[in-house]
Amino acid sequence: MKEKQTVFEKLRRKERVYSLGLFIQFVLLIAMMILAICTLFVYEFKMTLQILIVLLLLTMGYNNHTIFKRKGFTLLYIGAGIAYLSTILFG
């Protein structure tokens, strides 16, 4: 019988696309934290920070769908990303 594999074991045997998705999520998270601190001092960075939040939510939805196979969280992240993007564009 097959044992349950951890995420890291799955990533070791999968192609580089999965690792790239996690890397992009990590880079977006670091950039978002840096811009959040910069926004405290320079208010003009707010729009860039909002765009990074939308990109991070969509990337998290993609990673949940491809790596973790959690459909509920995938819909939650993609829905939150689209809702936040619509508030940026129309609000």
Side-chain angles (χ1 to χ4, degrees), residues 4 15 24 33 40-41 50-51 58 60 72 82 87-88 90:
K4 286 198 166 206
E15 59 266 5
I24 290 172
M33 290 189 315
L40 294 174
F41 303 107
Q50 291 174 339
I51 292 170
L58 294 176
M60 288 170 65
I82 290 172
T87 59
I88 292 171
F90 302 118

Side-chain angles (χ1 to χ4, degrees), residues 25-55:
Q25 182 177 340
F26 177 72
V27 169
L28 286 172
L29 180 66
I30 297 299
M32 188 190 72
M33 290 189 315
I34 292 170
L35 266 175
I37 294 170
C38 291
T39 304
L40 294 174
F41 303 107
V42 181
Y43 187 73
E44 287 78 22
F45 288 136
K46 183 181 177 190
M47 183 61 131
T48 309
L49 178 64
Q50 291 174 339
I51 292 170
L52 279 179
I53 291 171
V54 169
L55 289 175

Side-chain angles (χ1 to χ4, degrees), residues 2 5-20 22 66-69:
K2 241 182 171 180
Q5 295 178 344
T6 63
V7 174
F8 297 111
E9 290 172 349
K10 288 180 183 179
L11 287 176
R12 256 190 245 141
R13 62 181 181 85
K14 296 288 183 183
E15 59 266 5
R16 296 183 135 195
V17 174
Y18 295 149
S19 298
L20 182 65
L22 288 175
T66 56
I67 297 172
F68 301 113
K69 309 288 189 224

